[in-house]
Structures are given as structure tokens and as C-alpha cells.
Amino acid sequence: MTTVAGIDSSTQSCKVVVCDADSGAVLGRARAPHPEGTEVDPAAWWDALRVAGAGLLDDVDAIAVAGQQHGLVALDAAGVPVRDALLWNDIRSADAAEDLIEEFGGRQACADAVGSVPVAAFTVTKLRWLADHEPELADRTARVVLPHDYLTWRLRGGGPGRMLEPTTDRGDASGTGYWSPAGGGYREDLLALAFRGRRPALPQVLGPAQPAGRTPSGALVAAGTGDNAGAALGLGITEGDVVVSLGTSGTVFARADRPAADATGAVAGFADATGAFLPLVCTLNAARVLTSAADLLGVDLPTLESLAAQEPPGADGVVLLPYLAGERTPNLPRAAGSLHGLRPEAMRPGTVARAAFEGLLCHLADALDHLTGSGVTPRRVLLIGGAARSPLVAETAAQVFGVTVTIPEPDEYVALGAARQAAWAQAGTSRPPSWPGRSVAEIPAPTDATLGREIRARYRSARQALYG
């Protein structure tokens, strides 16, 4: 039996799955936590991978990493990080993003050049912040890699003092702000402009099934990719499928045959892990909206759902704008969450709970609108992530989105996508292996969309009143 391993190196943890390369059957899994915070020593990711992979990775034939996107890992000439990595959710570079949009020639010029308009999450904006605020560390930066690139490099035997040339893939490279999905190459002129004239070395961009090398023990190491491209590969999405992922952040994405170039900045024109494209809308707030609401009310998540389910749709007019950690879409990095429509008769724990569920889904419905505006026509929504297991989340999603919602069997789809890519690279075939998918529920769109429109209209009014 040929076995493959997929690694999901996310913000919170490292998850490993080992699969049969032919069938995709999961043979083993494990996880290890990552440190909290928006800047992390990259060595902590490597330590977590070794802990989670202990005993699981010893005999696999191939391995791939799917990692959190955008983060800045700056290495010196010896391969030592010059500082802790700045993660995607570190917003200190928000002002740098605005400066770079102007310097790159405006929003349309940015979208045309690299498929996306830079925001604080993107690597390119973090490079500008580093150049302006820690210039001595910027001067020491010889190479810039992404989180998944760093782990792929370590798996191949790279590390401090062992300077193998790093690699990446087009899916993760498309989130840097200096690689063009349409052109298929780096924009080193934009890199140098962002980094105040400095031109650090960048990883080689590998094709979807192209191996990066081998581990010291001989296992093939595939190219790897970013987490959203990994999830798309793990789910096996096709035309008409839109994925809504409810993790720490929220993402809404679909597979497309053409690159996107949205000048509003709402849709990021990413590449995927198969040679196609992955237009994507990202929000900073998703599942944390529910956990925060539960904390506010002093209850656990099941109780929060029970309270919300006892209230009718519409939450008696109470609306939650869920921008708890600032927001990326809409681009409001310094925003905060807010409750609207509070009246004495509506001030009940249940209305606040219901407003949390509806605010979360209206927020993601706005993101879905941006995606459909870019040319994607959703046939169904695949709802994944921890919060997707909630029946009320799924029911509200179908109501608010106005399309059929499918709940795939809960699993680590980012890690499964990485494992599927490893199997693809190991097989050397033109297409990835066909692994069966399973769903546990399907909620059709309501025949009468009136209530969903009313919920969204109240949400839209509250958002416009506060932010225009």
C-alpha cells in the first residue's frame, strides 16, 4: 500500500493525516498546538509538526504541507529567521497597504498586476512595514518565504546553516502581492518597491504535481500550497461549488478557469493547487463571532444555539455587526463589533444569541455577493469548518444565502487536500487521484426567500448607518 501524509499548518495548530494514496482512506491522524499571537517563531511550527508527526510520518511514501497564507518569514543568508514571522492576521501593516496601493498605481493597477488589491494580511505589506519600522532587520533579510514554504524546506532537510533553495507553489505565491496569477511569474519590481529597493531571493514556484524534493529518509515532498487551495483540493470542488469556511477567519471561494482582477479589493484573485484559479473573499471574523457571543452571555456553545433557536428568525430586530477583530472584507481594520436595534422588549439573551448567528451568516452572505459579482454562479454552497456542524448555522445559511447548502462530513479538508496533492505528485499523473467525498446533510434553499431578504436588509441598514 502506498501511503501519503498531508499537513495543515494553521494559525492555531498543526494537523497531520495519513491516507491510502489510492482510496484516500484515512489511516491515522494527530495534531499539536501552535503558540498564540500574530507573530510567531517559525521554529515553533516545525516543532509542532515533529510532535504531531511522531510515529505517523516515519514510513509514508510522500508528504505535502498546506499552510496559513500570507505570513512573512524573513530569513538571513544562513537560513535563520531575522525576527518572528508576522502572520496573516497581524494588522500593523494596514497603513502600509494603503501606501502601496497608491505607489503601485491605484486599485485597478494592483488587481491587473497581481490579481488582488493589497491589504494588511498580504506579505508585500508586511515587507513594507519591516522596511520602515525595522530597517536593520530588513537589511539582514536575504530570502522571503511563506509559512508552508518554510515547513516544506525543513522537511527537505533545510534549516539554519543548511541553505537548500526554498520552493513554493502558485496557490500560495498568489497571496503574496508580488506574484501574478495571470502572468505566472514574480513581479520583482513590486517587491523591490515595497521593500524600499531591497530584492531578497524568492522561492521557486513549482507546478501543481511537481515534487519539491525528498526528506532525508527518502519520502517524496510535494509542492504544498496555501490552506484555502488545500481545502479546495481536499473537497474536490467543481464548477458551481462555492465553499464557505467557518474557521477563525471566514473564507468564501470557488474554482475558476480564469484569473480574477477585482479593483474593489473584495475578491482576491488567487491561483489554486490544480493549475486553475481560486477567486476568494476573506473575512477576519467567522466562528469567533459565536464563541464571543457565548462568552458575553456566560454560556457554552450548545446553550448559545439553544437560546438562539428559541427565537424567531430576525432576532426581534436585533442586529449584530460582527467586526470583532477589525475586518478585511469590508476593509475596516480598526472596526469593532456592535449591536443594533436594542429595545427594552428585545433585550433578551435569546435575541442576542440569534443576532450572533444571523450576523455571522449575513457577513458571509456579503462575501458571497462579492464572489458572484466577479462572475461565479453558485449551484450550491459547501459549508465547512467547526461552526458548520451547528444545525442552526446550516439552516440560517440556506435562508440567508438563498441557495442549497451542503454539509460535507466533518474532516480536516486542508490536510486531506495536502495528502491528495502528495498522492498526485507520487503517482505522476496528469490529474489528482479521485477520492470519494461524503456529505452528512443538504439543506435546500427556502422556496420563499422573503424572510432571508428581510434579515439581510436589516443587517445592510445597520452596516450602512455605521460605515456608509
Side-chain angles (χ1 to χ4, degrees), residues 69-442:
Q69 288 187 261
H70 306 310
L72 170 62
V73 183
L75 305 175
D76 68 13
V80 177
V82 304
R83 69 171 333 278
D84 286 350
L86 295 176
L87 307 190
W88 64 274
N89 55 352
D90 191 298
I91 63 171
R92 71 185 70 184
S93 56
D95 290 340
E98 293 302 317
D99 292 343
L100 288 175
I101 291 168
E102 182 177 352
E103 293 172 29
F104 286 180
R107 291 177 174 272
Q108 188 63 62
C110 292
D112 291 342
V114 293
S116 304
V117 178
V119 293
F122 281 31
T123 317
V124 70
T125 70
K126 299 179 189 305
L127 283 169
R128 169 56 66 85
W129 183 91
L130 184 65
D132 288 349
H133 293 270
E134 296 176 348
E136 70 286 355
L137 299 183
D139 287 341
R140 287 177 50 202
T141 300
R143 287 176 173 81
V144 173
V145 299
L146 300 167
H148 118 257
D149 308 341
Y150 178 82
L151 290 175
T152 299
W153 176 64
R154 296 299 302 264
L155 283 168
R156 293 169 52 223
R162 301 188 302 278
M163 200 56 238
L164 300 176
E165 286 302 317
T167 59
T168 191
D169 89 303
R170 55 194 298 279
D172 216 4
S174 64
T176 60
Y178 47 80
W179 187 85
S180 169
Y186 284 117
R187 287 294 304 267
E188 295 202 28
D189 56 329
L190 301 183
L191 171 74
L193 178 59
F195 212 25
R196 301 293 190 192
R198 301 173 182 87
R199 290 180 178 265
L202 300 172
Q204 178 189 0
V205 181
L206 301 177
Q210 186 177 353
R214 292 190 176 271
T215 67
S217 62
L220 182 144
V221 180
T225 192
D227 51 2
N228 293 298
L233 190 57
L235 288 161
I237 63 173
T238 58
E239 184 179 354
D241 290 338
V242 174
V243 179
V244 175
S245 177
L246 302 174
T248 303
S249 64
T251 51
V252 181
F253 57 86
R255 188 179 186 276
D257 293 329
R258 299 177 182 176
D262 176 21
T264 71
V267 179
F270 295 155
D272 79 345
T274 70
F277 302 93
L278 198 77
L280 178 147
V281 182
C282 181
T283 70
L284 292 184
N285 299 283
R288 64 156 54 100
V289 176
L290 302 183
T291 56
S292 297
D295 290 343
L296 173 67
L297 297 175
V299 299
D300 58 16
L301 284 171
T303 304
L304 182 79
E305 181 163 3
S306 178
L307 287 169
Q310 293 172 38
E311 297 288 339
D316 207 5
V318 177
V319 174
L320 172 69
L321 294 183
Y323 307 147
L324 305 181
E327 192 42 74
R328 171 170 165 177
T329 308
N331 187 23
L332 300 167
R334 295 176 181 83
S338 53
L339 278 168
H340 301 256
L342 292 173
R343 302 180 311 281
E345 64 272 18
M347 292 184 69
R348 301 186 300 276
T351 57
V352 174
R354 184 87 194 192
F357 281 83
E358 292 179 356
L360 165 62
L361 273 309
C362 284
H363 182 34
L364 290 167
D366 283 352
L368 179 59
D369 284 349
H370 287 297
L371 198 64
T372 57
S374 74
V376 172
T377 302
R379 173 175 55 87
R380 63 170 179 166
V381 163
L382 287 82
L383 205 61
I384 65 171
R389 302 178 188 184
S390 157
L392 185 58
V393 166
E395 175 189 319
T396 307
Q399 187 173 62
V400 171
F401 295 163
V403 298
T404 296
V405 169
T406 297
I407 313 297
E409 184 174 349
D411 216 325
E412 302 294 350
Y413 284 101
V414 175
L416 284 173
R420 190 174 177 218
Q421 186 197 57
W424 188 10
Q426 174 73 15
T429 53
S430 60
R431 300 296 303 164
S434 179
W435 288 359
R438 295 178 297 275
S439 63
V440 295
E442 185 167 282

Side-chain angles (χ1 to χ4, degrees), residues 46-62:
W46 178 239
D47 291 341
L49 191 159
R50 290 191 295 173
V51 169
L56 277 179
L57 302 181
D58 295 346
D59 299 316
V60 297
D61 296 286

